[in-house]
Structure formats: C-alpha cells, structure tokens
C-alpha cells in the first residue's frame, strides 16, 4: 500500500476520503496509517491518527502500538516512546520484543543509555514471553557506545552472552566505540 511505498500523504488522503464516505476504519486501517506516517518521520500525524482511533472507539493492538513507538523512535522522541510503552500496560496490550526494541532504539538515538539498559532489564524480568533477542542486545550496547559508557556496554554484553547470543561484527564495533 501507500505506507510501504513511502507515500504517507497519499495514505492520509485515502484515509480522509474513507471518513468522508462514512467508511469506518478498523484497527488494521489505523495501524497502516500510523505505520506509514511513522516510517516517513511524521510522528505528529501518526499520533493524530492514534488519537482519532481512540476517540472513535477502535481498540489498538500490539502492532498499532509497535508502529507508533517505532515512528516516534525514528523521530528521536524517546520520552513519548516510553510513555506509549507504559500505555500498553494500561490498555492490557502485551508488548513484544519488537515493541521494546523500538523503545530501546529511541533511547539510543537520544543518547539515553541508562534508560535503554533499564528497558532491557525490564524485558528480562518479564520472562520468556518477551525475551530480548540479539537485535535488542545490540541496540542496547550501541546506546552505551554512543554515550561512551564502556562499563554499561560490557554489562549488557555479559547479559547478551549469558542469554546465549554470540557477538557479531556490529557488537564488536559497538564495544570498541564505547571506549
């Protein structure tokens, strides 16, 4: 669709036409709009679509929330990402590893390594249903590297290894960058 083609404005026009034609958008429609806007670096439009979604009584799902968090992450809005992650709990939506990783990535982009590590530790406490993966660990290590915090980078690396993940070249580069 328009979102995957990077045509977020066209997606919004189609959405607007749907509303004017009294076609009721569903969770898939809203998630697609949110994803298109977020991927295009337009978090304000994604957040507006989310607000409209809630206003019309359409219940978001984990894909909606992940798309919204990813879009805000790309725009560097790490505080908004954490607020949306917390909102998941309020709405009884179980975040996935992808949801958390997007939030950790937002912290990395903003240079907030402590928040990234806190989120990683929160994931680990949730148990196997939301276990960090190699991408999550590398993102957290990268956050520590960007902040030039070798101690935190090494701690995350130790957690990564204890969870059975092997370092890739990116991991090694991030660890070197932390020093």
């Amino acid at each position: 669709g328009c979102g995957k083609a990077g045509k977020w404005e066209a997606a919004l026009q189609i959405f607007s036409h749907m509303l004017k034609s009294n076609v009721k958008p569903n969770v898939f429609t809203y998630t697609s709009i949110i994803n298109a806007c977020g991927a295009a670096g337009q978090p304000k439009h994604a957040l507006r679509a989310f607000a409209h979604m809630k206003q019309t009584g359409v219940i978001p799902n984990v894909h909606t929330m992940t798309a919204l968090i990813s879009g805000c992450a790309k725009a560097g809005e790490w505080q908004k990402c954490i607020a949306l992650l917390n909102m998941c709990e309020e709405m009884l939506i179980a975040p996935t590893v992808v949801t958390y990783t997007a939030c950790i990535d937002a912290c990395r982009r903003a240079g907030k390594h402590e928040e990234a590590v806190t989120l990683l530790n929160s994931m680990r406490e949730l148990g196997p249903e939301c276990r960090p993966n190699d991408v999550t660990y590398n993102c957290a290590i990268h956050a520590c590297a960007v902040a030039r915090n070798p101690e935190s980078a090494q701690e995350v690396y130790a957690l990564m290894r204890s969870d059975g993940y092997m370092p890739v070249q990116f991991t090694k580069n991030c660890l070197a960058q932390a020093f």
Side-chain angles (χ1 to χ4, degrees), residues 3-112:
K4 289 190 179 178
K7 298 182 180 181
W8 65 276
E9 291 166 311
L12 284 178
Q13 288 176 342
I14 292 167
F15 180 69
S16 178
H17 183 70
M18 283 176 67
L19 295 176
K20 288 177 187 166
S21 302
N22 290 321
V23 176
K24 301 270 188 243
N26 60 20
V27 66
F28 179 77
T29 308
Y30 280 108
T31 302
S32 296
I33 294 294
I34 289 166
N35 196 39
C37 293
Q42 299 294 324
K44 285 183 177 50
H45 290 288
L47 289 163
R48 263 191 227 128
F50 180 64
H52 189 272
M53 178 184 200
K54 291 194 317 186
Q55 185 179 28
T56 57
V58 177
I59 299 169
N61 61 26
V62 69
H63 304 291
T64 310
M65 298 307 291
T66 301
L68 196 54
I69 290 170
S70 293
C72 289
K74 286 182 181 133
E77 297 189 22
W78 68 276
Q79 291 169 311
K80 178 59 80 175
C81 292
I82 291 173
L84 290 165
L85 185 67
N86 291 333
M87 194 182 292
C88 287
E89 188 176 327
E90 295 166 17
M91 294 186 296
L92 303 177
I93 295 171
T96 65
V97 64
V98 178
T99 315
Y100 269 96
T101 302
C103 209
I104 290 169
D105 185 51
C107 295
R108 175 196 61 83
R109 290 171 186 258
K112 301 292 181 183

Side-chain angles (χ1 to χ4, degrees), residues 145-164:
V146 168
R148 296 280 193 259
N149 189 309
E151 295 82 16
S152 292
Q154 288 175 318
E155 287 171 19
V156 174
Y157 176 71
L159 293 173
M160 177 183 180
R161 295 292 292 132
S162 73
D163 272 356

Side-chain angles (χ1 to χ4, degrees), residues 120-121 123-125 127-128 130-134 136-137 155-166:
L120 177 73
N121 288 326
M123 283 179 78
R124 295 182 89 244
E125 289 170 12
C130 196
R131 182 176 176 240
N133 62 22
D134 57 333
T136 312
Y137 281 113
E155 287 171 19
V156 174
Y157 176 71
L159 293 173
M160 177 183 180
R161 295 292 292 132
S162 73
D163 272 356
Y165 293 104
M166 296 296 294

